[in-house]
Amino acid sequence: MRRKLLFGNWKMNKTRSEAEEFALASKELLELASKHNIDIGVAPTFLSLCKVKKTNPDLLVAAQNCHYAPSGAFTGEISIPMLLDYGIKMVIIGHSERRTYFNETNKTCSMKIDALLANDMIPLYCVGETLEEFEKGITKDVIYDQIKVGLANVKKEDASKLIIAYEPVWSIGTGKNASKEIAEDICRYIRELLREMFGDVSDDIRILYGGSVKPENVKDYLLQEDVDGALIGGASLKVDSFRQLINNVIE
Ligand code: PGA
């Protein structure tokens, strides 16, 4: 049985004190979610990771990126040992904004995922097609490459640590969320690919939908068989909105 997961991607938002304020309030959110067997977490900026983790150690906390090398001449980057030193065990990999603005490729995602798994960490791997690819009808081809290349070196025994997020690029921050039917169709396809690669472990891997998820539509997605949660940007920033997301899932 896969536990539902609501995960907030804060992107480049919140100062350290704003992040702390949220983390304090998140204790109540965590209690509410746990009572209903839902996991919740957030991905703050690097500069707020420590504060959030210390303020609410029980909350799942992810970094938004990492480098695959343990150290070296990579100006501006953050390594996995540095994150581990902060108690961070989870990292978002391959978010479309990183692919678009920072030249992240399936191959660099693969290197990062391998490095995370070698350190017993959890990669939250994002995949999804652009509007142009969606309109051309090649969504599944794009997803195929992202999954097959990004997860190429993952060993069967590590596969259960993965979390995948399907985020159509055209739905991120646009208010144009994918229909629940599209979300289910692609999440199911992802699970089929995972089954080909890892066998029955695919039944344990959580697959999230992301892209303009709000309190009003979150339940529609989570009711789908192969959608195990949501990766949420804008609607995860305010405590009230996050509480509403949880409430709408459990009601
Ligand atoms: P959004 O972002 O919910 O603001 O569309 C989702 C994401 O980028 O993960």
Side-chain angles (χ1 to χ4, degrees):
M1 187 65 188
R2 299 183 296 267
R3 271 171 77 95
K4 299 289 182 203
L5 173 62
L6 296 176
F7 212 92
N9 174 13
W10 287 352
K11 312 191 181 188
M12 200 174 69
N13 290 292
K14 291 193 188 292
T15 60
R16 193 173 59 139
S17 53
E18 287 164 348
E20 182 182 19
E21 206 178 299
F22 186 107
L24 269 176
S26 73
K27 292 184 182 185
E28 166 228 322
L29 301 185
L30 193 59
E31 211 173 294
L32 171 69
S34 311
K35 245 193 257 161
H36 296 271
N37 294 322
I38 299 168
D39 291 331
I40 60 167
V42 293
T45 67
F46 287 126
L47 293 176
S48 297
L49 278 175
C50 194
K51 195 47 122 183
V52 172
K53 189 81 199 154
K54 275 199 173 148
T55 308
N56 188 355
D58 296 328
L59 187 65
L60 290 171
V61 179
Q64 297 174 17
N65 180 35
C66 67
H67 199 277
Y68 47 79
S71 63
F74 299 104
T75 302
E77 290 293 298
I78 299 286
S79 75
I80 288 172
M82 293 169 190
L83 294 173
L84 282 172
D85 200 27
Y86 268 36
I88 303 301
K89 303 274 292 167
M90 204 168 163
V91 182
I92 296 178
I93 298 294
H95 188 278
S96 77
E97 285 145 21
R98 298 233 33 108
R99 291 177 187 263
T100 307
Y101 306 129
F102 303 98
N103 304 319
E104 191 98 41
T105 63
N106 293 335
K107 182 72 200 144
T108 55
C109 288
S110 162
M111 292 162 83
K112 293 176 182 197
I113 289 168
D114 295 348
L116 286 168
L117 292 172
N119 283 281
D120 204 20
M121 291 171 75
I122 300 169
L124 197 170
Y125 180 43
C126 301
V127 297
E129 80 287 4
T130 62
L131 181 59
E132 199 187 339
E133 291 160 345
F134 175 73
E135 284 173 348
K136 275 194 199 151
I138 56 168
T139 297
K140 287 188 178 168
D141 301 317
V142 173
I143 300 289
Y144 181 93
D145 287 345
Q146 290 172 330
I147 293 288
K148 291 280 178 169
V149 178
L151 305 180
N153 306 319
V154 175
K155 300 187 199 84
K156 238 188 199 161
E157 62 264 30
D158 284 334
S160 64
K161 290 184 205 139
L162 297 168
I163 300 175
I164 311 291
Y166 167 55
E167 300 203 299
V169 181
W170 47 271
S171 74
I172 297 177
T174 57
K176 286 190 216 143
N177 49 300
S179 68
K180 57 183 194 298
E181 290 81 11
I182 292 179
E184 170 60 13
D185 183 38
I186 303 302
C187 289
R188 176 177 295 239
Y189 176 64
I190 292 171
R191 198 172 307 283
E192 279 165 20
L193 294 176
L194 296 174
R195 185 176 301 281
E196 267 174 42
M197 298 170 82
F198 309 117
D200 289 346
V201 183
S202 58
D203 288 331
D204 301 330
I205 300 175
R206 289 190 278 192
I207 304 176
L208 316 180
Y209 166 77
S212 297
V213 174
K214 299 182 220 39
E216 307 87 74
N217 60 26
V218 66
K219 184 140 191 192
D220 288 345
Y221 294 113
L222 268 74
L223 282 174
Q224 307 307 305
E225 198 179 325
D226 286 286
V227 181
D228 305 310
L231 184 57
I232 309 136
S236 75
L237 290 170
K238 296 223 163 72
V239 176
D240 284 351
S241 166
F242 211 124
R243 186 187 301 107
Q244 205 52 55
L245 286 162
I246 301 169
N247 274 327
N248 288 4
V249 171
I250 62 190
E251 86 182 1

